[in-house]
């Protein structure tokens, strides 16, 4: 009796190995196709630019209603009163016009606040009022009262404001005409001397 071998015939061994080989080949084929594909990524960008330029804003004053200049705190405009202020006595009343406007380069309207910048020496016995007039000159019609009399000279009540408009195109702004009126009373001291400076502070709107 022939001995029974546990080893399968060579053909059977090849048959069992064949599916594995095909599987490996199939896997290699898939990998080969995948390696051959190249994906391109498209890129594009947009850019936006902004340019920012500040507007112009400048206030000028005038003591004659025609010539407007800049008058800084260290060189204020001298208001021309109708009577001399160097020889006042009780009962005297003197007045002086003033005007302000925005220059042609200004690109904003403004709110102007009036205040007292500084006073020196004695202003005893002197009061004032500040009115707005329809045109230049204290003899013109009063359109509104900004500081009612009798306000002690050298002081300004809070919240005294008025509006200024910028000019159209290249024109100067519309001026606002003002009138200061100073009154001397019995509290005036002989030979006293004093000065006061008002500030017109414009804020753009």
């Amino acid at each position: 009796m022939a001995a029974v071998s546990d080893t399968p015939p060579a053909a059977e061994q090849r048959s069992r190995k064949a599916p594995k080989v095909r599987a490996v080949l199939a896997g290699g084929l898939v990998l080969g196709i995948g390696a051959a594909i190249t994906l391109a990524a498209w890129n594009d960008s947009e850019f936006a630019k902004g340019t920012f330029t500040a507007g112009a804003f400048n206030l000028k004053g005038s003591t004659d209603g025609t010539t407007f200049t800049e008058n800084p705190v260290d060189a204020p405009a001298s208001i021309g009163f109708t009577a001399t202020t160097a020889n006042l006595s009780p009962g005297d009343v003197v007045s002086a016009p003033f005007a302000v406007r925005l220059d042609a380069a200004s690109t904003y309207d403004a709110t102007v606040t009036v205040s007292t910048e500084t006073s020196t020496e004695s202003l005893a016995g002197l009061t004032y009022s500040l009115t707005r007039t329809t045109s230049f000159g204290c003899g013109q019609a009063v359109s509104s009262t900004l500081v009612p009399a009798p306000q002690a000279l050298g002081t300004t009540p809070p919240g005294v404001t008025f509006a200024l408009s910028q000019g159209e195109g290249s024109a100067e702004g519309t001026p606002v005409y003002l009138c200061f009126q100073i009154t001397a009373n019995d509290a005036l001291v002989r030979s006293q001397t004093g000065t006061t400076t008002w500030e017109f502070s414009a804020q753009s709107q």
Side-chain angles (χ1 to χ4, degrees):
M1 182 178 181
V4 178
S5 174
D6 292 333
T7 303
E12 184 179 350
Q13 292 183 31
R14 287 194 300 271
S15 175
R16 290 181 181 178
K17 290 181 180 180
K20 294 182 180 180
V21 172
R22 285 196 296 271
V24 170
L25 290 176
L29 182 61
V30 170
L31 290 175
I33 293 174
I37 295 175
T38 301
L39 298 178
W42 297 95
N43 294 292
D44 193 10
S45 299
E46 291 292 328
F47 299 91
K49 176 183 178 180
T51 300
F52 306 94
T53 302
F57 187 71
N58 191 36
L59 181 69
K60 291 184 175 181
S62 174
T63 58
D64 62 8
T66 301
T67 302
F68 286 78
T69 59
E70 296 182 28
N71 303 283
V73 64
D74 56 349
S78 294
I79 301 174
F81 285 90
T82 54
T84 178
T85 55
N87 191 30
L88 292 173
S89 62
D92 284 345
V93 178
V94 294
S95 59
F98 190 61
V100 293
R101 74 181 181 192
L102 297 172
D103 71 6
S106 296
T107 55
Y108 299 93
D109 294 336
T111 297
V112 179
T113 300
V114 184
S115 62
T116 298
E117 167 62 25
T118 185
S119 296
T120 62
E121 301 178 85
S122 177
L123 298 174
L126 298 172
T127 62
Y128 79 102
S129 66
L130 177 62
T131 56
R132 183 171 175 175
T133 57
T134 55
S135 56
F136 189 81
C138 286
Q140 306 301 318
V142 174
S143 59
S144 63
T145 298
L146 299 175
V147 179
Q151 179 71 31
L153 193 61
T155 67
T156 302
V160 178
T161 63
F162 58 86
L164 277 180
S165 298
Q166 62 175 302
E168 295 290 339
S170 60
E172 305 283 350
T174 302
V176 166
Y177 303 112
L178 305 167
C179 175
F180 290 95
Q181 189 171 81
I182 314 299
T183 301
N185 58 42
D186 292 339
L188 190 69
V189 178
R190 293 179 184 178
S191 300
Q192 76 177 43
T193 298
T195 63
T196 189
T197 301
W198 288 276
E199 178 184 6
F200 296 85
S201 176
Q203 181 175 3
S204 62
Q205 298 301 306

